[in-house]
Amino acid sequence: MASRLNPYISFDGTARQALEFYRDVFGGELAINTFGEFGAADSPDADKIMHGQLESPAGYVLMGSDTPEGMERSTNGTISLSGDDGDALRGYFERLAEGGTVTMPLEKQMWGDEFGMCVDKFGIGWMVNVSQSQG
């Protein structure tokens, strides 16, 4: 592998629950390590997630961690999912929106695609675009 670009999300103590939720949404293998496992066993952050990585069967890689005490949590952007597998993308949107807020329903837009936005129960923004065939 030459290189790849992956979203990395910062959480305020909910990384484990969020990454397990994303594993339930997208499927795949989740690897999680705590600060305690990497030498900070006596710190107040010992049980927090130092690094988590989800690799889904669809090829998505999503990473995340808890912000340790004394550090400022980075501001999260929005994660975009797009493609032409409408059934899968609609399913992801529905699952991501559970317990969160739909800010724009997933529906046909002026450019011809289905598009929607939501904020999941962990405060992470998601945009989903289902491409329509141009035939």
Side-chain angles (χ1 to χ4, degrees):
M1 166 184 44
S3 63
R4 64 183 179 186
L5 177 69
N6 301 317
Y8 202 107
I9 307 171
S10 297
F11 296 94
D12 192 20
T14 60
R16 180 180 302 277
Q17 297 93 325
L19 291 167
E20 288 173 351
F21 171 70
Y22 300 140
R23 179 190 57 206
D24 291 345
V25 170
F26 299 113
E29 297 295 319
L30 177 60
I32 291 180
N33 297 101
T34 65
F35 286 96
E37 292 172 325
F38 283 104
D42 296 330
S43 101
D45 297 318
D47 293 329
K48 289 184 178 178
I49 304 306
M50 182 175 171
H51 178 73
Q53 180 169 321
L54 173 65
E55 296 196 36
S56 81
Y60 304 148
V61 176
L62 186 62
M63 298 178 187
S65 65
D66 288 314
T67 303
E69 285 189 24
M71 286 185 69
E72 188 173 330
R73 182 173 170 230
S74 68
T75 304
N76 291 310
T78 300
I79 299 173
S80 175
L81 290 170
S82 58
D84 59 8
D85 187 343
D87 291 340
L89 290 164
R90 287 182 203 98
Y92 296 150
F93 185 84
E94 289 173 14
R95 305 249 348 251
L96 290 165
E98 289 175 9
T101 304
V102 173
T103 56
M104 177 184 281
L106 183 61
E107 57 192 21
K108 188 159 184 143
Q109 300 297 320
M110 66 179 100
W111 60 89
D113 293 351
E114 288 178 62
F115 178 81
M117 298 187 302
C118 67
V119 177
D120 71 26
K121 61 186 173 185
F122 298 98
I124 305 304
W126 294 86
M127 297 186 299
V128 176
N129 191 88
V130 181
S131 300
Q132 303 301 306
S133 349
Q134 303 296 320

